[in-house]
Amino acid sequence: MKEEILVGLDVGTSKVACVVAQRGADGRVDVVGLGRHASSGLRKGVVVNIEATTESIRHAVQEAEMMSGVEIRRVVVGISGAHVRGLDSHGVVRTRNNEVSQEDVERVLEAARAVKIPADQDVLHVLAQEFVIDGQEGVREPVGMSGVRLEARVHIVTAARSAVENLMKCCRRCGLDVGDVVLEPLASAEAVLTDEEREMGVAVVDIGAGTTDLVVFTDGAFRFVSVLPVGGDHLTKDLVAGLRTSTKAAEELKIRYGAASPQFVDENEEIEVPSVGDRPPRLMARDALAQLLDPRVEEILELVREALERSGYFALLSAGVVLTGGTAKLPGLVEMAEDILGVQVRVGAPRAVGGLADVAGAPEFATGVGLVLWQARTRGALRSTPRRLSWWRRLWNWFTQEAE
Ligand SMILES: Nc1ncnc2c1ncn2[C@@H]1O[C@H](COP(=O)(O)OP(=O)(O)OP(=O)(O)O)[C@@H](O)[C@H]1O
Ligand SMILES: [Mg+2]
């Protein structure tokens, strides 16, 4: 196997990140390029302006090309937004030869996919949780096992068709070929979790600018997804209202001096707040800034708690919660999350970033890096979303095989 280039495109509410990685003959994945550009065409994770989003993607991709020296043609793109849904399903098939083959597995996943979903939703993923062979539960690697009746328990993730199409339209306008569309927090999880955490039970909470995305894994399998329409933009807006300053100034103040709550900053520290118009800047106490952020941080974490309770897996999170996304950098957030959620919490930064750890190793790149790791894991291995071959394609395959 020769070296292979994998490209992940994270089209976020505040930025577009394009991550280029190289997979060597030994299977090792190394990030070799990163492009980032501010985005303005999305609201709460969803494309609302094609023109503006296309421009942001173009810039991020060009930057990643310059850094990596690789021409980018094909990308795997992430999607999120409150339109994302998840549901459990299952499928049953009879094995063809009293032994489970790869083809039987593909058929049973296809059967599990046959569930009623709203007409305006598209299936993004069919994620296998476990297989049952002749009543024997808890099988993870069914291929090669003896049995007649193969059952699959899966979690299906769907997204609004229009949101998927608009995202793909932006990519195509940049001359990019979209290989796959992947749920963003599934990619983030790929970048920040260890296998052990997935086994023990863990939630990844990606707090970005427009949304807070949450996924749950237990016993190594994907269980639950929820996308909450709140994020770092709300914190910035609260500062704009509370300080009567511009969005740009509020954003800078938040990143430079913000904290989840006053207890995490020095009460004697003073900071300078720019005013709007030509009024002179004012001085204020840094803990007063944290005071303005505190209620919203609490609200976001309460919503996370509610979602985890709704998932039915809250009591099973032995490895706790891993926070990622740009807002995870807010000082005091981990402590406040531990307080509100009552489980252990850590910040997850992307792994496998090799020589680019200083730039790509920040939590806001978890999704972008995760998209390449997700490709590396699924490509060549069992695909999580087998698509049914069309009849003419089957005929063609049959015909060309016969002819060989
Ligand atoms: N040091 C920091 N402290 C607090 N917030 C921060 C810090 N650094 C970045 N942020 C916030 O993180 C957010 C951006 O995070 P991220 O890049 O993960 O979002 P995104 O992927 O663009 O958005 P989304 O995933 O919601 O569509 C912004 O709201 C930004 O203000
Ligand atoms: Mg994001």
Side-chain angles (χ1 to χ4, degrees):
M1 189 170 96
K2 62 180 181 49
E3 275 183 353
E4 193 185 6
I5 291 294
L6 307 169
V7 183
L9 188 66
D10 170 19
V11 185
T13 310
S14 73
K15 55 95 182 52
V16 174
C18 180
V19 176
V20 185
Q22 214 164 42
R23 175 156 71 166
D26 56 355
R28 223 181 93 110
V29 177
D30 253 325
V31 174
V32 294
L34 171 75
R36 175 214 180 113
H37 197 265
S39 71
S40 58
L42 286 92
R43 260 184 67 79
K44 298 185 193 296
V46 177
V47 175
V48 292
N49 182 328
I50 302 265
E51 209 64 49
T53 306
T54 303
E55 268 318 292
S56 304
I57 294 175
R58 202 188 304 278
H59 280 107
V61 168
Q62 275 169 357
E63 198 180 313
E65 282 185 331
M66 304 254 278
M67 193 189 224
S68 62
V70 171
E71 189 187 347
I72 298 171
R73 283 282 170 86
R74 193 180 169 83
V75 298
V76 163
V77 65
I79 194 160
S80 186
H83 55 87
V84 167
R85 302 272 177 275
L87 74 158
D88 285 326
S89 176
H90 80 287
V92 188
V93 294
R94 280 185 75 81
T95 59
R96 291 250 158 92
N97 301 309
N98 282 347
E99 183 184 301
V100 181
S101 65
Q102 183 62 41
E103 198 212 333
D104 293 324
V105 172
E106 280 166 25
R107 279 193 306 125
V108 79
L109 292 178
E110 192 64 43
R113 189 190 180 107
V115 60
K116 235 189 153 80
I117 60 166
D120 57 356
Q121 295 274 115
D122 267 350
V123 173
L124 287 183
H125 304 287
V126 179
L127 301 161
Q129 294 174 326
E130 68 163 333
F131 296 91
V132 184
I133 303 174
D134 291 344
Q136 176 63 54
E137 299 192 341
V139 177
R140 294 203 189 167
E141 303 291 346
V143 175
M145 290 189 65
S146 296
V148 187
R149 183 189 146 97
L150 174 67
E151 192 177 338
R153 295 184 183 152
V154 305
H155 198 75
I156 295 181
V157 178
T158 71
R161 182 166 309 138
S162 57
V164 176
E165 282 174 357
N166 284 331
L167 186 61
M168 291 180 68
K169 202 178 280 179
C170 296
C171 294
R172 279 199 299 267
R173 284 196 178 187
C174 296
L176 300 169
D177 179 16
V178 177
D180 265 312
V181 181
V182 177
L183 177 71
E184 281 172 16
L186 180 61
S188 304
E190 197 68 43
V192 304
L193 290 186
T194 64
D195 287 343
E196 196 185 14
E197 284 172 319
R198 283 179 212 255
E199 286 302 323
M200 289 170 69
V202 70
V204 174
V205 179
D206 182 327
I207 315 183
T211 63
T212 293
D213 304 4
L214 183 157
V215 287
V216 173
F217 295 83
T218 68
D219 296 321
F222 187 98
R223 304 289 171 183
F224 179 78
V225 54
S226 178
V227 177
L228 312 167
V230 286
D233 279 350
H234 286 82
L235 296 171
T236 305
K237 273 190 194 135
D238 291 345
L239 293 187
V240 170
L243 302 173
R244 296 204 189 83
T245 187
S246 68
T247 301
K248 186 168 172 284
E251 177 74 16
E252 279 171 21
L253 285 170
K254 179 184 78 173
I255 290 175
R256 196 142 168 220
Y257 302 111
S261 166
Q263 77 206 73
F264 301 109
V265 297
D266 176 359
E267 57 185 333
N268 298 315
E269 190 178 344
E270 290 212 309
I271 58 174
E272 202 172 90
V273 182
S275 303
V276 275
D278 39 17
R279 266 172 266 143
R282 300 156 280 160
L283 282 180
M284 78 180 276
R286 189 173 171 190
D287 68 348
L289 184 81
Q291 190 79 57
L292 290 169
L293 295 171
D294 178 275
R296 185 71 71 172
V297 175
E298 195 178 322
E299 185 196 348
I300 294 175
L301 292 171
E302 288 291 351
L303 289 169
V304 167
R305 188 191 164 90
E306 275 169 31
L308 289 175
E309 277 167 356
R310 203 169 60 242
S311 78
Y313 292 98
F314 199 12
L316 302 177
L317 305 181
S318 305
V321 166
V322 178
L323 295 177
T324 191
T327 302
K329 295 198 289 193
L330 190 70
L333 188 70
V334 166
E335 292 83 348
M336 201 151 152
E338 284 192 329
D339 215 37
I340 291 176
L341 303 174
V343 295
Q344 55 172 321
V345 177
R346 72 172 177 94
V347 170
R351 60 190 171 85
V353 284
L356 290 184
D358 50 336
V359 271
E364 61 265 41
F365 297 119
T367 307
V369 173
L371 285 168
V372 301
L373 295 175
W374 187 88
Q375 286 172 76
R377 193 211 279 259
T378 54
R379 191 179 286 182
L382 171 65
R383 285 176 50 105
S384 63
T385 53
R387 282 193 183 282
R388 188 186 286 280
L389 291 178
S390 61
W391 65 268
W392 58 265
R393 181 82 205 182
R394 277 169 204 260
L395 193 66
W396 172 257
N397 285 353
W398 176 80
F399 200 72
T400 48
Q401 267 172 13
E402 289 295 294
E404 268 169 12

